[in-house]
Amino acid sequence: MSKLHRLVPQLSVPDTVVGAIDIVLGELGHARSQLLHLQLRLSSVEQARLRTIQLGDAGLLAGGRPPGARLLQP
């Protein structure tokens, strides 16, 4: 039984490391998801900007802020 008690700290350290790695991987997955979403939003903003230029509508072009400027503000 005393041999088992000496092993307990050695077994708990790997569990702690695995738990920390799981947390880091979860956060990285969440960050990746947010970055992909932002990339899609920026792509659609760019398409809207190009479409505005193609239309040549003075009202759209003189709006003061380019399409998507609000998206980039914090």
Side-chain angles (χ1 to χ4, degrees):
M1 188 68 150
S2 65
K3 288 183 182 181
L4 182 60
H5 285 294
R6 282 186 271 146
L7 290 177
V8 171
Q10 294 171 356
L11 294 175
S12 65
V13 171
D15 287 341
T16 303
V17 171
V18 167
I21 290 172
D22 282 344
I23 291 171
V24 169
L25 290 177
E27 291 300 317
L28 287 173
H30 182 68
R32 178 184 180 274
S33 174
Q34 288 182 330
L35 288 171
L36 287 174
H37 178 71
L38 183 58
Q39 182 181 18
L40 290 173
R41 292 280 308 266
L42 289 175
S43 176
S44 67
V45 166
E46 179 63 15
Q47 289 175 358
R49 187 185 71 79
L50 292 175
R51 183 68 177 143
T52 300
I53 292 170
Q54 286 176 349
L55 291 174
D57 187 329
L60 289 174
L61 293 173
R65 290 191 337 200
R70 192 183 74 180
L71 173 70
L72 300 176
Q73 291 177 346

